[in-house]
């Protein structure tokens, strides 16, 4: 298996623009997580899905952030409109059964909003 | 609420030295899992180990070893005979098990710099 695949790896956008980050989890994994990593806040969970259903989105910072998982092999994290403080590395991770088992992380998307 | 504390922000050692990375956690649950992840300069997060709260046996994997002590709520990580390739940021994480609340809470990470 190729592992968790995220795209793009790097994204530079202007403030106010819409940004969409993409994630393909490992086949067969039924949990998908979106994390954000910043210098100030470290790694924080934004939202996670179980069997394509959002379970906990309490980490989503604002209404500007939304996430979807239309099927078991694809998820998106959208920011609209983007702001400079959204600049961070966004990680997608997937796991089988629960996060009590190893969560496999993608390589991350480095987002820069100017 | 759960919390993971990695008090060491940055550690520098010379190659072949042993180094211990500290991790202290807080949780109200009796069942939980602890993890260590490595983040090399390339940026990805690499799983190193998972330990459940009922298993206090120390674990050794090559040059890596982990010491889990429930009495002090600590899960420390030791690298023996460190190498330059060990240079990375290391994260300790906690996952509580309860209904649908299984998710990772990360510490702030310890940056390890190994020099020649």
């Amino acid at each position: 298996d190729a592992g968790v695949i995220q795209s793009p790896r790097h994204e530079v956008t202007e403030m106010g623009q819409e940004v969409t980050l993409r994630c393909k989890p490992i086949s067969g994994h039924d949990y998908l997580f979106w994390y954000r990593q910043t210098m100030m806040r470290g790694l924080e969970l934004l939202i996670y899905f179980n069997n394509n259903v959002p379970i906990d989105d309490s980490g989503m910072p604002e209404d500007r952030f939304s996430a979807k998982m239309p099927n078991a092999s694809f998820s998106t994290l959208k920011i609209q409109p983007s702001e400079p403080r959204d600049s961070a590395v966004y990680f997608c991770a997937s796991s089988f059964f629960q996060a009590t088992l190893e969560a496999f992380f993608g390589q991350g998307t480095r987002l820069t909003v100017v | 609420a759960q919390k993971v504390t990695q008090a060491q922000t940055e550690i520098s050692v010379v190659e072949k030295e042993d180094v211990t990375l500290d991790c202290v956690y807080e949780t109200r649950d009796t069942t939980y899992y602890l993890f260590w992840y490595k983040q090399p300069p390339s940026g990805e997060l690499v799983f190193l180990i998972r330990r459940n709260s009922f298993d206090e046996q120390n674990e050794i994997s090559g040059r890596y070893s982990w010491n889990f002590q429930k009495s002090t709520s600590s899960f420390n990580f030791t690298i023996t005979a460190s190498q330059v390739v060990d240079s990375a940021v290391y994260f300790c994480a906690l996952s509580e098990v309860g209904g649908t609340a299984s998710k990772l809470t990360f510490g702030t990470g310890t940056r390890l710099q190994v020099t020649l």
Side-chain angles (χ1 to χ4, degrees), chain A residues 9 31 33 35 37 39 41-45 48 55-56 58 89 91 98-107, chain B residues 33 35 37 39 42-45 47 50 91 95-108 111:
Chain A
R9 290 291 311 279
Y31 278 77
F33 306 82
Y35 288 87
Q37 184 177 31
M39 289 295 293
R41 300 174 68 92
L43 273 158
E44 51 182 347
L45 178 68
Y48 77 96
I55 301 300
D56 184 350
S58 59
V89 179
F91 286 100
Q98 293 188 43
T100 52
L101 298 180
E102 174 185 351
F104 292 81
F105 283 78
Q107 292 195 297
Chain B
Y33 287 76
F35 301 77
Y37 280 84
Q39 187 174 40
S42 51
E44 72 272 24
L45 282 160
F47 168 83
R50 178 188 73 251
F91 291 94
S95 173
E96 291 177 340
V97 181
T100 57
S102 299
K103 52 193 178 184
L104 290 171
T105 296
F106 284 89
T108 50
R111 181 177 298 277

Side-chain angles (χ1 to χ4, degrees), chain A residues 12-112:
Chain A
V12 180
T13 191
E14 291 186 350
M15 183 174 63
Q17 296 297 306
E18 176 180 297
V19 176
T20 299
L21 311 181
R22 297 172 176 80
C23 175
K24 176 177 166 47
I26 292 173
S27 177
H29 282 189
D30 53 356
Y31 278 77
L32 183 139
F33 306 82
W34 281 100
Y35 288 87
R36 179 172 68 174
Q37 184 177 31
T38 61
M39 289 295 293
M40 291 297 293
R41 300 174 68 92
L43 273 158
E44 51 182 347
L45 178 68
L46 300 178
I47 184 172
Y48 77 96
F49 297 81
N50 175 216
N51 291 323
N52 313 337
V53 176
I55 301 300
D56 184 350
D57 65 355
S58 59
M60 296 286 261
E62 299 172 36
D63 290 346
R64 299 183 296 105
F65 285 71
S66 63
K68 293 182 180 179
M69 193 165 185
N71 58 62
S73 60
F74 184 65
S75 176
T76 60
L77 178 67
K78 185 178 293 186
I79 308 172
Q80 165 64 17
S82 58
E83 297 182 3
R85 59 195 167 116
D86 301 331
S87 298
V89 179
Y90 291 81
F91 286 100
C92 176
S94 70
S95 70
F96 177 64
F97 187 48
Q98 293 188 43
T100 52
L101 298 180
E102 174 185 351
F104 292 81
F105 283 78
Q107 292 195 297
T109 295
R110 181 174 295 277
L111 173 65
T112 303

Side-chain angles (χ1 to χ4, degrees), chain B residues 18-48:
Chain B
D18 298 347
V19 58
T20 295
L21 309 182
D22 297 333
C23 173
V24 174
Y25 61 92
E26 294 175 31
T27 178
R28 283 179 239 161
D29 278 14
T30 56
T31 303
Y32 51 89
Y33 287 76
L34 294 162
F35 301 77
W36 277 95
Y37 280 84
K38 173 182 180 180
Q39 187 174 40
S42 51
E44 72 272 24
L45 282 160
V46 179
F47 168 83
L48 296 177

Side-chain angles (χ1 to χ4, degrees), chain B residues 43-96:
Chain B
E44 72 272 24
L45 282 160
V46 179
F47 168 83
L48 296 177
I49 190 173
R50 178 188 73 251
R51 172 66 75 222
N52 75 56
S53 53
F54 297 109
D55 182 3
E56 286 194 72
Q57 253 191 339
N58 291 335
E59 178 148 347
I60 298 174
S61 176
R63 296 183 298 106
Y64 295 171
S65 62
W66 291 269
N67 180 261
F68 176 32
Q69 292 195 349
K70 285 182 77 169
S71 60
T72 56
S73 296
S74 66
F75 186 43
N76 297 337
F77 172 32
T78 297
I79 302 175
T80 302
S82 60
Q83 299 176 2
V84 173
V85 293
D86 296 327
S87 297
V89 180
Y90 291 86
F91 291 94
C92 181
L94 167 70
S95 173
E96 291 177 340

